[in-house]
Amino acid sequence: AARLAALFPAPSHADVRAIAASLAADPAATVRQLPAAAQQALALVQMAEPSVPRLVFAIERDPTLAQSVLRHANSALHAAAGRPCYAVLEAIGRIGVGGTKQAVLAYTMEALICRPDDPFAPMSRQVWEHSARTSAIARTLAPAFGADADEAASLGLLHDVGKLLVFDRIATLRTEWKREPQLAPDAVRMLLREFHEPLGGLAMFRWSLGAPAATAVAAHHRAPAPPVRDPLGETLFVAEAADLALERGTTLDLEALWITGQLTGSAVRVEAALAQLGAAA
């Protein structure tokens, strides 16, 4: 907040300073708890041997969550399974616990996307689309870093959730102020840059996803790189860079990326995986 106050000192920048102060003063208030059904489902999928009947019961408590799980089970990723499935129990059997966790997390992310009439709706939709693509790339790259593929895919979905939380906080303040905040584009970008990593890491703790997830999400830009090896964080760092390169039609300089991110994974395996995606130099 102090940094933003220094960067935006003019009276016309009062709203960005107020938003930054709100985010910094009580970040836990910005990270809302998940709906009860999603909380229960996530707690179950974190277990070594989750109870499938209890998981089905938790998911079916929320029709929108159930639809998310069914949509994931009927997606192109699982198209080889053949006929569509219409029951949550069958969906869990098809996609497994890891896939169910990703469906619950996707539901969580989608719930944070701005309403269509919100000024930041296009940006929040871009965050979601980028996150979904990064998730798929992270799954492919995970073995090169010694990371679990399901965990990498889940955190690929969540790595930029802090940006959605910033938008969500702005929407809350808009309601409280009964007016539209005055925010220049560069101020919005700065808010996102300063707050999305720490807010994302805090969300991992609040949603009981564990310390490794919090570390990976809170430092996925690796600036600076964490002092200890972080396979999930390294995976997210490269997966995000690969997605941005693909979207921009540019090539990815793996050598520079390895130096910047202080990476320890297998560059050879990453290069082979990215070559198939057309993302490597």
Side-chain angles (χ1 to χ4, degrees):
R3 172 175 160 80
L4 286 177
L7 290 170
F8 299 99
S12 60
H13 296 144
D15 283 356
V16 69
R17 295 197 300 272
I19 292 167
S22 175
L23 290 167
D26 191 7
T30 299
V31 183
R32 294 182 293 173
Q33 267 297 3
L34 301 177
Q39 284 188 55
Q40 186 178 0
L42 275 181
L44 288 168
V45 296
Q46 296 287 93
M47 295 179 179
E49 296 184 8
S51 164
V52 173
R54 288 177 62 195
L55 184 56
V56 171
F57 177 77
I59 292 170
E60 288 182 339
R61 289 175 60 194
D62 185 330
T64 307
L65 175 57
Q67 289 171 16
S68 179
V69 172
L70 290 170
R71 188 166 63 249
H72 191 71
N74 289 313
S75 67
L77 182 64
H78 303 282
R83 63 181 180 82
C85 69
Y86 302 101
V88 170
L89 177 60
E90 184 182 358
I92 294 172
R94 176 179 293 185
I95 64 180
V97 172
T100 303
K101 179 179 180 180
Q102 288 165 48
V104 175
L105 295 175
Y107 158 84
T108 301
M109 288 282 286
E110 289 174 324
L112 287 170
I113 294 174
C114 298
R115 298 186 308 271
D117 60 344
D118 190 290
F120 297 108
M123 292 179 71
S124 68
R125 175 57 61 179
Q126 288 175 2
V127 170
W128 164 241
E129 291 171 353
H130 163 65
S131 298
R133 295 191 305 265
T134 300
S135 173
I137 297 172
R139 175 182 291 282
T140 300
L141 298 183
F145 295 97
D148 180 82
D150 282 340
E151 280 297 301
S154 294
L155 295 185
L157 276 178
L158 293 173
H159 77 285
D160 272 349
V161 70
K163 293 182 178 180
L164 298 183
L165 292 169
V166 170
F167 292 140
D168 188 59
R169 186 60 181 167
I170 293 173
T172 298
L173 293 175
R174 180 188 299 116
T175 300
E176 292 178 4
W177 296 346
K178 297 181 173 59
R179 64 175 177 81
E180 192 64 45
Q182 301 303 303
L183 295 170
D186 59 339
V188 175
R189 287 191 291 270
M190 185 63 75
L191 281 170
L192 297 176
R193 187 158 53 247
E194 292 291 315
F195 287 101
H196 84 280
E197 284 187 294
L199 284 175
L202 179 61
M204 299 304 99
F205 277 119
R206 297 233 339 137
W207 299 341
S208 301
L209 292 172
T215 298
V217 170
H220 67 269
H221 287 300
R222 302 184 66 80
V228 296
R229 186 170 182 271
D230 177 16
L232 285 168
E234 292 188 33
T235 304
L236 294 182
F237 177 73
V238 179
E240 177 170 59
D243 176 64
L244 294 175
L246 285 167
E247 285 301 295
R248 294 167 181 167
T250 60
T251 55
L252 193 62
D253 186 340
L254 282 182
E255 183 177 357
L257 205 63
W258 236 254
I259 294 170
T260 302
Q262 299 181 35
L263 305 180
T264 64
S266 170
V268 173
R269 295 180 68 180
V270 167
E271 185 171 24
L274 292 180
Q276 297 179 1
L277 298 171

